[in-house]
């Protein structure tokens, strides 16, 4: 079941539409060029998790792509309409425990100044994929794949839109298909100069455990630095805030593949799949730590 609500100036709370009927122009640049921005948030326990973080990141993605999108207030109103319709449509006692709220805005018609108003903007709510929930429990096998850019490309070539969440995810999906064809579940991209970047739909975290001089255990959580052109993950941000409050040390890469192999644990994190342990890299088992996974999962559960 999917609920669809368009942002439409003629309908202040959003315009409910049929997700199974044609809705978009075949000329919409979101369709013809994958030109637009989006967000995926988790709806669970009656709440859209980290909504404000998603709205802020969407605003940054829009700015980076010279796109004017609806206001945060218009998104909030459309989301409220969508989830009330979604909840009402669920059979009593059988509402999905976890659902995905997607916000999408495509580019509108050409303009002389290069800054474009949005063409279409809509919200969907649908059940979260079962596979992601299963992978949280089983963990995943991951391939390291070269993204083909070096780790300084984001600053040198801003037109590549590194770090913006745009609709151009065909490359990310192709990487996941490549992994699956080769017996793995997912991917961690590396840069051409050997840095660990991110997953096609996730942020990479690794943890180390050491002893300080006094013999106390020091737990450290590390993620690749944003300068490499990766998307700033809202889940990573929220986990880091929770880990800091619990006394963990935090580190922001450079991360290299050897650090993943030496770590106590490696996870892919994202808003809908949440925290997924990595069991192997390129076919070789790496360390997993059920206790750390449980600790980090508890932090993820506390995010709201
Ligand atoms: N990196 C990429 C490329 C992504 O597509 C995503 C999420 O879809 C993430 C990281 C994780 O971001 P978040 O935790 O905000 O969902």
């Amino acid at each position: 079941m999917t609920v669809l609500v368009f942002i439409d100036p003629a309908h202040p709370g959003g315009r409910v539409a049929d997700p199974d009927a044609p809705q978009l122009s075949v000329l919409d640049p979101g369709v013809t060029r994958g030109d637009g921005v989006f967000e995926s948030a988790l709806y669970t326990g009656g709440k859209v998790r980290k909504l404000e973080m998603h709205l802020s990141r969407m605003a940054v993605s829009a700015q980076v792509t010279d796109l004017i999108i609806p206001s945060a207030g218009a998104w909030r109103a459309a989301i409220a309409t969508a989830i009330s319709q979604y909840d009402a449509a669920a059979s009593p006692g059988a509402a999905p425990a976890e659902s995905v709220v997607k916000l999408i805005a495509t580019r509108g018609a050409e303009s002389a100044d290069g800054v474009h108003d949005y063409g279409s903007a809509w919200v969907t709510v649908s059940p979260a994929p079962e596979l992601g929930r299963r992978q949280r429990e089983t963990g995943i096998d991951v391939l390291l794949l070269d993204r083909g850019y070096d780790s300084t490309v984001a600053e040198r070539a801003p037109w590549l839109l590194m770090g913006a969440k745009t609709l151009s995810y065909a490359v990310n999906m192709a990487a996941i298909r490549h992994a699956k064809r080769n017996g793995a579940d997912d991917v961690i991209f590396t840069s051409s100069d050997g840095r660990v970047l991110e997953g096609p739909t996730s942020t990479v975290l690794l943890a180390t455990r050491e002893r300080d001089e006094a013999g106390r255990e020091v737990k450290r959580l590390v993620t690749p630095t944003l300068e490499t052109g990766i998307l700033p993950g809202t889940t990573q941000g929220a986990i880091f805030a929770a880990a800091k409050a619990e006394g963990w040390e935090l580190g922001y890469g450079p991360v290299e593949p050897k650090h993943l192999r030496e770590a106590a644990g490696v996870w892919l994190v994202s808003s809908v799949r949440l925290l997924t342990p990595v069991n192997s890299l390129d076919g070789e088992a790496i360390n997993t730590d059920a206790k750390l996974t449980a600790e980090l999962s508890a932090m993820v559960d506390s995010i709201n």
Side-chain angles (χ1 to χ4, degrees), residues 215-239:
R216 278 186 302 258
E217 183 177 57
V218 179
K219 286 182 288 194
R220 193 175 168 79
L221 202 52
V222 179
T223 196
T225 165
L226 288 182
E227 279 87 76
T228 54
I230 59 175
L231 187 76
T234 61
T235 315
Q236 170 271 322
I239 294 175

Side-chain angles (χ1 to χ4, degrees), residues 205-210 217-221 239 243 246 248 262-267 275 277 287-300:
L205 298 190
L206 68 89
T208 60
R209 330 173 74 142
E210 283 153 23
E217 183 177 57
V218 179
K219 286 182 288 194
R220 193 175 168 79
L221 202 52
I239 294 175
E246 292 191 17
W248 290 55
E262 291 164 3
V266 176
W267 298 267
L275 180 99
N287 292 326
T288 54
D289 186 320
K291 195 160 167 280
L292 289 180
T293 297
E295 246 179 271
L296 293 169
S297 293
M299 291 178 203
V300 169

Side-chain angles (χ1 to χ4, degrees), residues 38-40 50 54 57 147 165 169 172 189 198-203 230-237 269-272:
F38 79 106
E39 282 295 323
S40 300
K50 302 188 265 83
H54 287 290
R57 189 171 62 189
R147 184 144 77 179
K165 200 162 166 71
Y169 261 47
N172 305 37
F189 284 125
E198 63 188 341
T201 62
S202 59
T203 309
I230 59 175
L231 187 76
T234 61
T235 315
Q236 170 271 322
V269 301
S270 60
S271 295
V272 177

Side-chain angles (χ1 to χ4, degrees), residues 98 128-140 180 185 272-273 275-277 279:
E98 296 182 10
E130 190 50 46
L131 177 66
R133 301 179 65 184
R134 218 169 35 241
Q135 289 179 337
R136 259 181 237 160
E137 308 301 325
T138 59
I140 49 176
K180 292 193 168 158
D185 302 299
V272 177
R273 197 171 49 177
L275 180 99
T276 310
N279 294 331

Side-chain angles (χ1 to χ4, degrees), residues 11 45 74 80 92 95 100 143 163 167 193 241 246 252 255 262 281 297:
H11 296 79
V100 190
L143 293 189
L167 289 174
D193 51 343
E246 292 191 17
Y252 298 86
V255 176
E262 291 164 3
L281 280 181
S297 293

